[in-house]
Amino acid sequence: MEETPPEKTTQRLRPPIRNVGILSWIRANLFNGWFNTILSLVFAYVLFLTIPPFIEWAFINSNWVSTSEECKASSGACWSIVTANIRFILFGFYPHDLQWRPLLAVVILVLLLFYSQNRKHWAKSLAYAWAIGLFSMGLLLKGGLFGLVSVDSSNWGGLPLTLLLSVFGLTAAYPVGIILALGRQSNMPIIKSFCIIYIELIRGVPLISLLFMSSVVFPLFLPEGMSINPILRAQVAIIMFTAAYIAEVVRGGLQGVERGQYEAAESIGLNYFQSMRRIILPQALRIVIPPSVSILISAFKDTSLVVIIALYDLLKTTQTTLSDPKWMGYSSEAYIFVAMIYFVCCFFMSNYSRKLEKELDTDL
Amino acid sequence: MNDNLTDTTNQDSPIITIKDMHKWYGDFHVLKNINLKVHKGERIVICGPSGSGKSTLIRCINRLEEHQRGKIIVDGIELTNDLKNIERIRVEVGMVFQHFNLFPHLTILENLTLGPIWVRKTPKKEADETAMYYLEKVRIAEQAKKFPGQLSGGQQQRVAIARSLCMKPNVILFDEPTSALDPEMVKEVLDVMISLAQDGMTMLVVSHEMGFAKSVAHRVLFMDGGEILEENEPNEFFGNPQHERTQLFLSQILN
């Protein structure tokens, strides 16, 4: 201390070092005070009671590739129900020999999604890539061209159906929701009241009733002999439903953009569409990334409700597998597997939204 | 101070004509019988207590607010509900706001080129060059790649001035351009405004910066209760105010 001569200006000081060792962390966070200590001990005991048996069941005593008889003989988890029926769970009643086609379609979709993740790739070429990708996915599923055997859409099922309903549903619902939100803010009374009525009506009914209406009521209005593909009908119901929720979230975002931004956009002469497209929506949509993603995630999971109009989505194919007498009683394993698929998709969405939020944050 | 600034006006054809203009907010009569002619190259400072309607007046000129009676004619175009006319006038009339209102999601350069590219349909390269020219002029060119949130208030207001210059307007309206700034940043913004004045820009400035008014303005307007109570050239206005409200206001603001 003696060696350093006193300086005239105030010294730059480093922040004090805080204790960061594991032991001190444990003491500071788990055992500070008698109440927290008791809580920690009780919780540790509960973990001790549950975790080891679960690991034993799921990994140590489990069967991964076996017949159902071997499963019955062991006490562990019977993952064989998944491995033995994986093709039915994932692809439903799609003809067995042709299942490479939905598989390829899903692979194309996943690749496109991963490529689109990076905002640097957002250019016109990406739009073309999606157009080509969607066309080839449709072609692969439906067939009937280029020597591919035609497969009726009533045989589509499992993962491709779930992904189809949600990816199309969410991407179509978002722009519709934005238009509804803008309409609700419009000065034109007819457009405004139409949007309000639409949003309130749709939000006032459960998705299930919309799906029922699309499959039972709607066909009554069609001329005789005409029918619309049930997948398409479910798709439209999902889009309409999700759009109403998106609209309200986006409206919140529009209100969150300062009045001055609208005025500044107007004062440099931008017209309504230009100022919305260039100034207001980019800011409003960034504000509402977290609630939008919540809606998208729940809409993704809600696609499983299409079982009630007899579509074989991922959850329904799993249930069907469970009704096979050979595999009865292994529902935990099958449902855990499906839950993992849903979880991976949802986790991906919420992670990506967080990344996007950070990237778009420009007020530093 | 005033010598190289005076003879730029052209007395023949006013660029802004306001005739018997009234405006109400609901039942509240905000602007009463406003008459004003602004000639090309003229610089007018409008002052008055808060709530006197001075901001509302200039916001009517580019139709951020609607007037309900009387006429506003800008550059030969009358302001009506016709959207095409409103858009044409907004291109001719620049506006600088109290709170800058830069677009926070765009870089400084993008803030400046947005109008020229989408409204004036200028090619991007040319718009970039113009933008850099004006950024240079407000002495902030090195910040072009940053976002507004990374700049100080004074810098942001200079960018806002450059943004309106990029549209090559005939008139610029300033709505209390320095009143949201920290004291040490007021000067850098006023300096930019003075250099604009030296270039002969037509300016309507709502401001309480009396030094600015004295050195740059051709006319000073005093508003209270929605009316223009007094209008005079600056020396006369500050040295010999006629109306007692003006005298009171000046004595309060100068102390």
Side-chain angles (χ1 to χ4, degrees):
Chain A
M1 290 298 150
E2 248 68 54
E3 303 95 306
T4 48
E7 286 176 36
K8 287 218 178 74
T9 52
T10 320
Q11 266 183 305
R12 274 171 182 274
L13 295 178
R14 298 191 143 275
I17 297 165
R18 315 248 308 269
N19 251 341
V20 281
I22 286 185
L23 273 178
S24 69
W25 183 90
I26 289 177
R27 198 179 309 139
N29 291 290
L30 299 178
F31 297 103
N32 54 337
W34 61 270
F35 182 67
N36 286 347
T37 307
I38 292 175
L39 272 187
S40 300
L41 289 176
V42 168
F43 195 67
Y45 184 65
V46 171
L47 286 181
F48 172 74
L49 283 186
T50 50
I51 297 290
F54 176 78
I55 288 177
E56 201 172 323
W57 174 80
F59 300 107
I60 298 171
N61 294 336
S62 59
N63 294 289
W64 292 84
V65 192
S66 64
T67 62
S68 56
E69 285 76 27
E70 285 170 85
C71 267
K72 289 203 171 79
S74 91
S75 63
C78 179
W79 300 113
S80 316
I81 182 177
V82 174
T83 46
N85 299 298
I86 187 79
R87 291 180 72 159
F88 183 78
I89 292 178
L90 291 183
F91 301 118
F93 293 109
Y94 208 90
H96 203 263
D97 303 334
L98 302 176
Q99 282 177 358
W100 62 272
R101 279 164 44 182
L103 179 67
L104 187 58
V106 170
V107 169
I108 292 176
L109 181 68
V110 170
L111 287 179
L112 274 172
L113 285 173
F114 264 94
Y115 187 74
S116 312
Q117 244 196 321
N118 192 335
R119 286 203 312 132
K120 285 199 193 85
H121 298 158
W122 292 6
K124 243 191 195 132
S125 54
L126 185 63
Y128 293 132
W130 270 100
I132 295 169
L134 290 179
F135 174 76
S136 49
M137 278 181 254
L139 182 68
L140 280 168
L141 282 173
K142 183 113 185 85
L145 269 180
F146 305 122
L148 293 172
V149 185
S150 176
V151 176
D152 191 72
S153 65
S154 57
N155 289 330
W156 300 3
L159 187 63
L161 182 64
T162 294
L163 291 178
L164 179 92
L165 287 173
S166 35
V167 170
F168 268 99
L170 305 190
T171 43
Y174 212 86
V176 175
I178 291 174
I179 290 169
L180 284 169
L182 291 176
R184 190 165 184 169
Q185 288 216 321
S186 161
N187 294 325
M188 288 173 259
I190 297 177
I191 293 180
K192 186 180 175 136
S193 38
F194 170 80
C195 291
I196 292 178
I197 292 171
Y198 176 89
I199 292 169
E200 296 306 333
L201 265 185
I202 297 283
R203 289 203 310 166
V205 295
L207 177 58
I208 293 194
S209 68
L210 272 186
L211 288 170
F212 269 132
M213 280 202 274
S214 76
S215 73
V216 180
V217 184
F218 179 64
L220 297 179
F221 296 108
L222 288 178
E224 210 159 323
M226 187 179 163
S227 77
I228 293 182
N229 184 320
I231 295 181
L232 186 62
R233 278 184 270 147
Q235 182 78 82
V236 169
I238 289 172
I239 291 172
M240 286 172 66
F241 186 78
T242 312
Y245 281 85
I246 296 281
E248 282 303 274
V249 162
V250 171
R251 187 166 71 101
L254 290 173
Q255 285 169 349
V257 177
E258 281 173 49
R259 185 81 214 122
Q261 294 291 312
Y262 290 83
E263 290 179 351
E266 283 174 21
S267 76
I268 57 172
L270 295 176
N271 63 31
Y272 177 79
F273 292 101
Q274 288 168 334
S275 61
M276 285 302 149
R277 164 76 185 80
R278 305 280 153 199
I279 308 297
I280 307 302
L281 283 176
Q283 296 182 57
L285 296 184
R286 192 188 77 73
I287 304 175
V288 298
I289 288 175
S292 311
V293 171
S294 293
I295 289 179
L296 296 184
I297 284 177
S298 73
F300 171 66
K301 292 178 296 186
D302 282 351
T303 57
S304 57
L305 291 173
V306 297
V307 293
I308 61 144
I309 56 169
L311 293 181
Y312 274 73
D313 82 318
L314 188 58
L315 198 60
K316 182 66 183 169
T317 52
T318 312
Q319 273 180 331
T320 311
T321 310
L322 288 170
S323 60
D324 180 346
K326 262 205 300 185
W327 297 104
M328 253 177 204
Y330 298 112
S331 50
S332 317
E333 291 85 341
Y335 285 134
I336 287 176
F337 171 70
V338 181
M340 295 284 276
I341 294 183
Y342 276 105
F343 175 77
V344 166
C345 294
C346 294
F347 185 68
F348 172 78
M349 278 195 257
S350 75
N351 244 352
Y352 179 60
S353 83
R354 237 175 308 156
K355 185 180 145 217
L356 200 60
E357 218 179 320
K358 217 182 253 169
E359 277 180 11
L360 296 178
D361 187 10
T362 54
D363 13 85
L364 306 151
Chain B
M1 258 295 202
N2 237 340
D3 18 306
N4 64 338
L5 294 174
T6 34
D7 49 1
T8 43
T9 54
N10 164 14
Q11 296 295 329
D12 312 327
S13 56
I15 189 161
I16 300 173
T17 309
I18 302 179
K19 230 180 150 233
D20 306 328
M21 191 263 275
H22 293 257
K23 175 173 177 60
W24 289 263
Y25 284 130
D27 282 339
F28 180 57
H29 203 170
V30 233
L31 292 176
K32 300 169 187 159
N33 198 28
I34 304 289
N35 283 287
L36 180 66
K37 279 198 169 80
V38 183
H39 295 273
K40 202 160 177 41
E42 212 175 2
R43 295 178 290 278
I44 296 178
V45 169
I46 306 171
C47 60
S50 71
S52 60
K54 48 197 191 316
S55 288
T56 314
L57 170 61
I58 65 166
R59 287 159 60 88
C60 282
I61 295 172
N62 70 348
R63 197 63 163 196
L64 288 180
E65 306 277 355
E66 199 178 322
H67 62 283
Q68 281 107 3
R69 241 176 76 185
K71 271 186 186 173
I72 300 178
I73 299 165
V74 182
D75 216 7
I77 308 166
E78 189 180 344
L79 266 175
T80 55
N81 279 327
D82 186 343
L83 272 179
K84 277 275 155 291
N85 279 354
I86 295 174
E87 274 161 26
R88 268 166 70 198
I89 285 173
R90 282 179 179 157
V91 174
E92 300 304 327
V93 179
M95 176 108 184
V96 175
F97 298 87
Q98 181 178 7
H99 296 286
F100 335 131
N101 295 355
L102 295 178
F103 307 129
H105 61 299
L106 300 175
T107 63
I108 299 304
L109 189 64
E110 288 165 339
N111 263 277
L112 267 66
T113 56
L114 190 90
I117 289 175
W118 295 100
V119 181
R120 290 254 192 223
K121 312 287 178 208
T122 318
K124 186 175 180 308
K125 194 163 169 287
E126 198 187 319
D128 280 350
E129 282 164 9
T130 316
M132 287 314 291
Y133 171 79
Y134 283 114
L135 280 180
E136 209 74 66
K137 200 167 163 61
V138 300
R139 297 188 300 279
I140 208 161
E142 70 284 358
Q143 316 275 18
K145 292 277 177 287
K146 289 193 181 168
F147 286 98
Q150 294 164 293
L151 268 54
S152 74
Q155 290 173 321
Q156 289 194 46
Q157 193 60 299
R158 277 146 61 197
V159 171
I161 293 173
R163 177 174 70 180
S164 65
L165 286 173
C166 281
M167 292 297 288
K168 309 249 166 75
N170 290 326
V171 187
I172 301 187
L173 312 172
F174 292 84
D175 187 1
E176 308 207 21
T178 56
S179 52
L181 295 174
D182 288 338
E184 77 257 33
M185 292 168 181
V186 171
K187 188 175 176 300
E188 63 186 59
V189 172
L190 288 181
D191 285 347
V192 166
M193 290 169 65
I194 290 171
S195 85
L196 273 188
Q198 281 161 350
D199 295 343
M201 177 58 77
T202 315
M203 296 159 79
L204 259 80
V205 185
V206 170
S207 176
H208 292 161
E209 294 295 333
M210 294 302 132
F212 175 79
K214 276 182 196 160
S215 62
V216 170
H218 295 107
R219 272 191 284 162
V220 181
L221 266 57
F222 176 73
M223 286 184 74
D224 193 19
E227 291 175 281
I228 299 179
L229 289 183
E230 187 161 352
E231 178 181 344
N232 221 325
E233 56 96 19
N235 285 336
E236 225 8 53
F237 181 87
F238 292 109
N240 185 17
Q242 301 298 312
H243 207 284
E244 78 182 86
R245 302 296 300 274
T246 320
Q247 290 161 5
L248 180 68
F249 176 76
L250 286 178
S251 74
Q252 280 166 346
I253 211 167
L254 294 177
N255 294 327

